[in-house]
Amino acid sequence: MRSLKDNQLLPQLLTALTEATTDSLLARLFPQSEPYIYAFAAGGIWNMMVAWLQTGAVDTPDVMAQKALLVAKHLVAIM
């Protein structure tokens, strides 16, 4: 991740994240006709990764995955 940031490739990662949401848990829970849900999810993951990098990437990727999962479960519960 740091090399992506250092080489200014994070925007390409955001594009890949947005495209990957169509293969995610959200895609199984919500219809493809709800593109805003996928865009929202990709933006949330993006912001979590940027915050993680800006704070020195102290948490392990596994810890970050657990945090993202908690957010996703909350979103599913309220929708």
Side-chain angles (χ1 to χ4, degrees), residues 25-34 37-38 72 75-77 79:
L25 174 62
L26 285 176
R28 286 181 251 139
L29 297 172
F30 297 101
Q32 295 285 334
S33 61
E34 296 292 340
I37 292 172
Y38 303 111
L75 287 174
V76 169
M79 295 189 89

Side-chain angles (χ1 to χ4, degrees), residues 20-32 37-38 41 45 68-74 76:
T21 56
T22 59
D23 295 324
S24 69
L25 174 62
L26 285 176
R28 286 181 251 139
L29 297 172
F30 297 101
Q32 295 285 334
I37 292 172
Y38 303 111
I45 293 167
L69 184 59
L70 286 174
V71 172
K73 286 180 179 178
H74 175 73
V76 169

Side-chain angles (χ1 to χ4, degrees), residues 49-64:
M49 286 193 310
V50 169
W52 180 61
L53 289 172
Q54 289 175 337
T55 58
V58 176
D59 288 326
T60 67
D62 287 338
V63 168
M64 292 305 295

